[in-house]
Amino acid sequence: MTSSHESQDLTYENECALEQAKVSEFYDRLDQYRDHVDERLHQAQNSTPTGTPSSIAERDALISSLADRRKDLLGVDQRLCFGRLDNESGQTHYIGRLGLSDSDQNPVLIDWRAQVSAPFYSATAVTPLGVVRRRHIATTDRSVTSLDDDVLNLDALERLGLTNIVGHDALLASLDEARTGHMRDIVATIQAEQDRIIRAPLSGTLVVQGGPGTGKTVVALHRIAYLLYQHRDTIARQGALVVGPNRRFLEYIDQVLPALGETGVTLTTIDRLVADIVPSQDDPPEVARIKGSLKMARVMKNLVESRQRIPSSPIELEINGTSITLDSDDVSHAARRARDTHKPHNEAWSTFAKDLLNRLALKLAQALSLEVDEPTRLDLIADLRDVKDVRREINLCWMPQDPQNLLRRWLSDPELMAKTAPELTKDEQQSLQRSFEADQINGGWSINDVPLLDELDELLGVFDPTAGQRRATGPSQEELEMARRSIEASGPLGQMVTADSLVNRYGAVDNSENLLEPHQRRGHVFGHVVVDEAQELSAMQWRMIYRRVPSKSVTVVGDPAQTSSAAGAADWSVALNPFVGDRWTIERLTVNYRTPSKIMQVANEVLDAYGISHDQNSTVRDGRWPVETVQYESINAEAIAEQISQLATLVSTGTLAVIAHNDLLGATQAALDLYQSTADDKDNTRLEISTMSPRDSKGLEFDAVLLVEPRLIAASDVRPGQDLYVAMSRPTQILRVLYSEELPTDWYSSLPEVR
């Protein structure tokens, strides 16, 4: 006789074998796709175009498209198929990371972003959406490892012959897995409220708000993948951009989108949006607040306009023994002509210089009693251009500028700052003033300088006085002669262009912009942007973001309760209204999947103690370990290393973070070195341990966290308690607090203490 338990095991094994056959079929098809793309890519790379520009461009476009497709196919090997839907109609759909068809082009695996897949995430027993059974299929490499069924319609179950129900809760099983140091996609376990946000419309600004552990970031990344699938023609042409808080965060999330079949999304931090700028220092909170204010946009405009000068008195110029006068009317007229082009300052210089040279040429012709025909005018302009005093006065009236040099001068010149920043009080001006050392010529910037440099870059435009001079004075004789020879060599095609137009079109082409990342190219716009930890952004940083997405199609991810920056906003309307008015919507994630309730309850008490409002989220898990405190007479490397060793025994696989105030990071790193030098090599080889500040931990998660001297973290906050809250809400299993003298507030009074 077969026992009930044995029968269940047999059923489970049979179902696993059936699903293994389907999964193997999908991988076979994926391999065929890959081979086909590889073959086409090889043929395209080895093909010889006919030589026309269009054929070369077509071949290059095909190679680029096939290379992108190849990356997409290589990125989905893990968990290719993860779900199955059995519907009331009798249809069965397998859900996976991308769509696959058989040789007759019939779909065999449905892309998770397709509308057919939506019920996999949103169907419930109350609203089954036509689904009878939802099956979660877990795989490792190409093998099925477990199955988990949700029954949503009992009445239809037997009618359809779906009586073999197996498994356990897939979501809770995934939450209990050890962390790896990289964010995992949640495509197999997306929940209904998350799915609603992922599939929200493309247009407009969407705020995704939720407390720690609610999945804000991973939902936003899945949303990009979904939008690229649904609106590829709209977005892919311009690209999508993810802006994160720091490099560690980008490394943490960098595997999510490739695993979802998207390899073309740009990831960057807010401080790397401007080319050649790598911030190397922090500003005091008050300085950060001032630089982040929208007042600085007006100040930067004033600064650029101060480089457009009208002489207060006539200036005598001597041209080969003949005197002429440059007066304010000449400069004013040329300046109006330049401004009427609506070009940035540097790019309008050529219009200014050309108009002013023409005016001076007419004055010179009058002084020499010459008739002004075209050859004479060009000769006179050439004479003027060769006079050093003329070049100097033109540049002094409309000086081409480099953003870095101009901002460096403004920050170090109190007189210039006072002249161009009436919007700032004297105290504010004084707090901004600083000097730049010789070794900071190409550096010395802070993260709050980046939006100012971006603003100046937009106002100034391309800094290339040589190219500007070419446009103002015309091509040289050497350039024209080279162009004529090229035209003659072109035969009949040469009759379609002139030497002058050829030089103007190709003579000053600057390809340096093409070497930059898309987000660093001036004027490049994206189809969609995700901003994570968005509560930290200043108004000037938001100005940078929206400059790069004029469509306002932005997914804003954050939690005002976790705001740390002095320039950040605790209210979304304050942050967004200056740029989109009230044309933004907010969606809230209400379930904490990461942090156990035993930890979140204590973290929330910290916010309450500091009077910080926050979302009241439910938690999926209670957790095994309560928050524990450990007191030492003094905190040093030995004490920290001892606690690392204890936690490493409890969490032998996964990740452990030691989080401390910046002033203690040297001690925490020394403790980690000490632990690693004394630990048994056979122990904890699968445990990844790192040290960081609370702000560097934003957006990350760890199996265990050792929080060191929280009173220092709380005391140094611009917004007391919020960095501490961030640090306390990182763990998925264990939070231990290490302190010496005392703990902030009374939130710890009822917590157990260990030694």
Side-chain angles (χ1 to χ4, degrees):
M1 179 178 294
T2 303
S3 69
S4 174
H5 181 73
E6 290 173 338
S7 176
Q8 290 176 4
D9 287 345
L10 184 60
T11 297
Y12 187 81
E13 290 176 5
N14 289 340
E15 290 297 301
C16 284
L18 290 172
E19 300 300 7
Q20 180 65 64
K22 295 299 295 187
V23 167
S24 297
E25 175 188 330
F26 301 146
Y27 276 109
D28 288 344
R29 192 60 181 156
L30 177 66
D31 290 338
Q32 294 172 20
Y33 273 27
R34 287 172 174 171
D35 291 343
H36 176 66
V37 170
D38 284 344
E39 181 180 353
R40 291 190 61 199
L41 181 59
H42 178 74
Q43 291 174 349
Q45 290 172 332
N46 290 278
S47 65
T48 302
T50 60
T52 64
S54 62
S55 68
I56 295 173
E58 288 171 2
R59 186 197 66 173
D60 291 346
L62 177 60
I63 290 174
S64 177
S65 175
L66 290 170
D68 288 344
R69 182 57 176 162
R70 184 175 186 273
K71 283 196 291 185
D72 291 344
L73 292 173
L74 290 174
V76 297
D77 204 64
Q78 293 298 317
R79 300 186 299 279
L80 173 64
C81 170
F82 53 80
R84 167 178 165 173
L85 287 176
D86 295 300
N87 297 325
E88 293 178 9
S89 62
Q91 288 183 311
T92 294
H93 298 301
Y94 283 89
I95 313 299
R97 295 183 177 278
L98 81 171
L100 295 173
S101 301
D102 61 20
S103 56
D104 296 325
Q105 299 306 306
N106 297 312
V108 292
L109 184 65
I110 308 298
D111 193 298
W112 69 274
R113 295 162 288 193
Q115 189 59 39
V116 174
S117 303
F120 185 79
Y121 305 107
S122 55
T124 66
V126 176
T127 310
L129 302 177
V131 177
V132 176
R133 178 178 66 179
R134 171 174 49 211
R135 170 167 286 179
H136 299 269
I137 303 172
T139 58
T140 299
D141 296 326
R142 299 190 171 197
S143 299
V144 173
T145 56
S146 67
L147 304 177
D148 179 31
D149 288 343
D150 299 327
V151 177
L152 305 182
N153 188 334
L154 282 170
D155 294 337
L157 196 66
E158 188 172 348
R159 174 171 58 82
L160 294 175
L162 301 174
T163 55
N164 295 332
I165 306 303
V166 297
H168 61 282
D169 195 303
L171 173 61
L172 291 178
S174 70
L175 295 177
D176 284 334
E177 292 178 5
R179 269 47 190 172
T180 64
H182 288 274
M183 177 177 280
R184 296 169 299 183
D185 64 80
I186 59 169
V187 67
T189 56
I190 292 171
Q191 302 301 293
E193 71 171 5
Q194 297 173 330
D195 186 66
R196 185 184 69 251
I197 295 171
I198 289 169
R199 297 174 189 269
L202 168 66
S203 61
T205 293
L206 174 68
V207 176
V208 182
Q209 177 175 311
T214 54
K216 301 182 296 296
T217 297
V218 72
V219 165
L221 295 175
H222 284 69
R223 174 165 163 74
I224 277 194
Y226 171 77
L227 292 176
L228 282 166
Y229 177 82
Q230 292 291 336
H231 308 279
R232 189 165 297 277
D233 290 343
T234 303
I235 299 177
R237 183 172 60 254
Q238 297 173 316
L241 174 69
V242 175
V243 180
N246 52 58
R247 298 303 304 177
R248 189 192 293 263
F249 174 84
L250 296 186
E251 292 169 1
Y252 177 60
I253 69 171
D254 65 359
Q255 296 178 9
V256 175
L257 285 167
L260 297 174
E262 298 297 345
T263 55
V265 178
T266 301
L267 276 64
T268 189
T269 53
I270 192 71
D271 60 336
R272 299 306 302 274
L273 285 176
V274 177
D276 302 323
I277 303 298
V278 181
S280 59
Q281 63 186 50
D282 293 326
D283 284 322
E286 178 60 16
V287 172
R289 184 191 63 78
I290 298 168
K291 289 181 179 178
S293 169
L294 274 182
K295 292 188 293 186
M296 294 304 298
R298 178 69 248 182
V299 171
M300 293 298 100
K301 190 171 188 295
N302 293 342
L303 177 58
V304 170
E305 290 178 350
S306 74
R307 306 296 89 187
Q308 302 167 6
R309 302 166 180 162
I310 307 296
S312 57
S313 58
I315 300 170
E316 294 294 325
L317 298 171
E318 185 171 307
I319 316 298
N320 299 327
T322 302
S323 294
I324 59 174
T325 300
L326 173 66
D327 57 41
S328 59
D329 286 344
D330 296 322
V331 177
S332 295
H333 187 277
R336 285 196 298 272
R337 289 286 302 275
R339 293 183 186 118
D340 286 346
T341 65
H342 301 292
K343 293 180 179 179
H345 173 88
N346 290 336
E347 296 170 31
W349 179 89
S350 61
T351 299
F352 174 82
K354 186 173 183 178
D355 187 87
L356 202 53
L357 284 169
N358 276 327
R359 288 176 165 276
L360 292 176
L362 293 175
K363 287 188 175 183
L364 183 56
Q366 185 177 11
L368 296 172
S369 301
L370 297 175
E371 292 287 334
V372 184
D373 55 15
E374 187 62 12
T376 301
R377 184 184 69 85
L378 293 176
D379 286 342
L380 292 175
I381 287 176
D383 290 341
L384 289 165
R385 187 183 61 191
D386 290 338
V387 177
K388 181 179 178 180
D389 289 349
V390 173
R391 296 198 304 271
R392 183 190 69 245
E393 294 303 331
I394 289 177
N395 282 333
L396 286 175
C397 291
W398 195 288
M399 178 69 75
Q401 299 286 325
D402 170 72
Q404 292 192 50
N405 290 336
L406 184 56
L407 184 59
R408 190 176 290 113
R409 178 178 177 185
W410 183 79
L411 289 169
S412 58
D413 186 340
E415 184 177 344
L416 177 61
M417 185 178 292
K419 177 183 176 183
T420 57
E423 291 84 355
L424 304 180
T425 67
K426 289 184 178 180
D427 287 344
E428 288 176 328
Q429 292 178 24
Q430 189 171 2
S431 67
L432 292 180
Q433 291 166 14
R434 53 178 291 207
S435 60
F436 287 82
E437 304 299 331
D439 62 352
Q440 292 181 325
I441 291 300
N442 293 314
W445 300 114
S446 74
I447 189 174
N448 303 293
D449 291 322
V450 176
L452 306 184
L453 291 165
D454 190 61
E455 191 74 21
L456 288 174
D457 191 46
E458 186 74 8
L459 293 167
L460 292 171
V462 177
F463 180 65
D464 188 356
T466 302
Q469 180 174 324
R470 178 202 312 276
R471 292 191 296 270
T473 59
S476 67
Q477 291 300 317
E478 181 181 1
E479 289 171 327
L480 287 172
E481 183 58 32
M482 290 179 62
R484 290 189 187 99
R485 288 199 296 268
S486 297
I487 290 172
E488 290 172 359
S490 300
L493 290 175
Q495 299 175 13
M496 301 173 64
V497 295
T498 65
D500 188 77
S501 65
L502 190 64
V503 171
N504 286 335
R505 183 171 183 181
Y506 298 109
V509 173
D510 181 6
N511 290 319
S512 61
E513 277 276 301
N514 295 329
L515 302 178
L516 300 176
E517 294 294 326
H519 58 280
Q520 295 179 332
R521 298 174 192 163
R522 193 174 67 84
H524 182 88
V525 298
F526 288 90
H528 190 77
V529 174
V530 167
V531 185
D532 210 325
E533 299 296 339
Q535 73 277 355
E536 304 297 332
L537 268 59
S538 70
M540 288 299 291
Q541 288 171 329
W542 279 116
R543 191 171 169 89
M544 275 203 303
I545 295 294
Y546 277 105
R547 179 174 289 134
R548 287 160 174 78
V549 56
S551 67
K552 315 298 185 189
S553 180
V554 180
T555 299
V556 175
V557 182
D559 178 14
Q562 298 183 61
T563 304
S564 300
S565 170
D571 188 303
W572 294 121
S573 61
V574 173
L576 300 176
N577 285 2
F579 307 99
V580 296
D582 60 358
R583 297 183 300 279
W584 56 273
T585 56
I586 185 168
E587 291 280 1
R588 286 181 167 85
L589 292 168
T590 62
V591 181
N592 185 330
Y593 298 98
R594 176 181 70 211
T595 317
S597 61
K598 289 179 179 177
I599 296 176
M600 278 311 302
Q601 181 179 350
V602 179
N604 288 334
E605 288 174 4
V606 170
L607 292 183
D608 294 337
Y610 283 97
I612 301 168
S613 63
H614 57 94
D615 292 339
Q616 296 291 340
N617 297 322
S618 60
T619 54
V620 172
R621 298 175 300 146
D622 184 48
R624 290 176 55 193
W625 288 279
V627 179
E628 299 174 327
T629 62
V630 185
Q631 186 175 19
Y632 285 78
E633 289 185 5
S634 63
I635 301 301
N636 51 37
E638 289 75 15
I640 300 171
E642 181 179 355
Q643 291 304 310
I644 291 176
S645 179
Q646 290 187 20
L647 289 174
T649 302
L650 293 175
V651 186
S652 59
T653 301
T655 56
L656 165 62
V658 183
I659 303 180
H661 184 266
N662 286 333
D663 292 347
L664 289 178
L665 291 182
T668 58
Q669 184 58 52
L672 180 55
D673 294 341
L674 177 62
Y675 163 74
Q676 291 175 334
S677 68
T678 58
D680 188 333
D681 291 339
K682 293 180 292 184
D683 294 337
N684 305 314
T685 56
R686 293 177 294 173
L687 181 65
E688 179 182 325
I689 308 175
S690 54
T691 70
M692 66 194 70
S693 70
R695 295 192 183 187
D696 287 340
S697 74
K698 280 183 176 290
L700 308 181
E701 62 179 24
F702 309 93
D703 292 282
V705 167
L706 177 62
L707 180 60
V708 181
E709 285 288 36
R711 65 182 177 83
L712 293 181
I713 297 172
S716 65
D717 273 359
V718 175
R719 308 170 193 268
Q722 288 174 292
D723 274 356
L724 183 55
Y725 174 70
V726 169
M728 295 178 68
S729 57
R730 298 305 97 195
T732 65
Q733 297 186 56
I734 301 175
L735 172 62
R736 183 171 292 184
V737 181
L738 176 60
Y739 72 105
S740 58
E741 299 176 11
E742 61 181 10
L743 287 164
T745 76
D746 61 354
W747 55 266
Y748 62 91
S749 58
S750 61
L751 301 179
E753 184 158 343
V754 298
R755 190 64 172 163

